[in-house]
Amino acid sequence: LKNNALVGDTWLILGNDDALPASGDVIVPFARLLREFESLARRSGKLGVVFANVDRAEALATFLPRLSVVVLHFTAFNDGRAYSLARQLREFGYRGEIRATGNVLPDQLQFMLQVGFDAFEIGDRFPLQVWQAASKQMSWAYQRGLFRRSAESEIWTERHTDAEPWLEQPHAG
């Protein structure tokens, strides 16, 4: 699911030891990216990575300019580590695709969009109409975000039209 529509996936997902084709778009595990980055970066075709929730986003930062897609896996619906990673990648300036895989649910779609996900492997569990409806359910964002879609408004901004946002809250401790 991308831009609220089903799209074909043209990427070849490789394991750590799978043969590397001479051309074409490939997604490799982070361990392979680390091990073979020079040869992966020289080949024709786009490059993507599957990045584990247990790794730190900083480890991927130097590779981001060469990556076209970062795949983040949701192991369970209540595992929020991929949310944090997506947000951090966007804050690092990454503008490529961030794809959610695994236990991706329609009721979490809005939150995923707000932190920077823009593609979702959704399977057959829910029909397309459910996903499309979920993408429009919320028009307000509770968190001030860099990646808010233009149709959304931030609650803080709407409530405080005359005030300037503060960067720190000295009383919070």
Side-chain angles (χ1 to χ4, degrees), residues 7 14 87 92 95 102 107 146 155 168:
V7 296
L14 301 175
R87 175 73 181 219
F92 290 157
R95 294 291 175 243
D107 61 343
L146 300 171
I155 290 177
E168 294 185 33

Side-chain angles (χ1 to χ4, degrees), residues 33-49:
L33 182 74
L34 288 173
R35 189 176 68 237
E36 302 175 25
F37 181 69
E38 294 302 321
S39 62
L40 289 167
R42 282 193 306 265
R43 60 184 296 285
S44 65
K46 295 178 186 174
L47 178 61
V49 67

Side-chain angles (χ1 to χ4, degrees), residues 18-152:
D18 293 336
L20 186 63
S23 63
D25 302 338
V26 296
I27 298 174
V28 298
F30 182 55
R32 185 168 186 175
L33 182 74
L34 288 173
R35 189 176 68 237
E36 302 175 25
F37 181 69
E38 294 302 321
S39 62
L40 289 167
R42 282 193 306 265
R43 60 184 296 285
S44 65
K46 295 178 186 174
L47 178 61
V49 67
V50 176
F51 196 67
N53 291 344
V54 296
D55 292 322
R56 298 183 56 87
E58 292 84 7
L60 195 55
T62 58
F63 301 103
L64 292 177
R66 180 61 178 96
L67 297 175
S68 297
V69 63
V70 176
V71 178
L72 301 175
H73 188 73
F74 284 85
T75 57
F77 75 92
N78 61 352
D79 184 353
R81 294 175 291 179
Y83 288 102
S84 299
L85 288 170
R87 175 73 181 219
Q88 290 168 349
L89 293 174
R90 294 299 188 202
E91 287 174 348
F92 290 157
Y94 181 66
R95 294 291 175 243
E97 178 181 305
I98 299 180
R99 182 184 300 186
T101 65
N103 199 349
V104 178
L105 301 172
D107 61 343
Q108 296 174 332
L109 183 64
Q110 285 287 325
F111 301 115
M112 291 180 190
L113 289 166
Q114 288 176 11
V115 297
F117 284 97
D118 55 0
F120 311 88
E121 288 184 10
I122 59 172
D124 297 331
R125 185 172 172 194
F126 300 97
L128 177 61
Q129 296 83 356
V130 171
W131 291 99
Q132 290 171 331
S135 72
K136 299 173 188 163
Q137 285 180 335
M138 289 189 282
S139 59
W140 295 90
Y142 283 96
Q143 296 179 358
R144 297 185 67 84
L146 300 171
F147 314 105
R148 186 180 82 248
R149 291 184 320 282
S150 61
E152 294 176 336

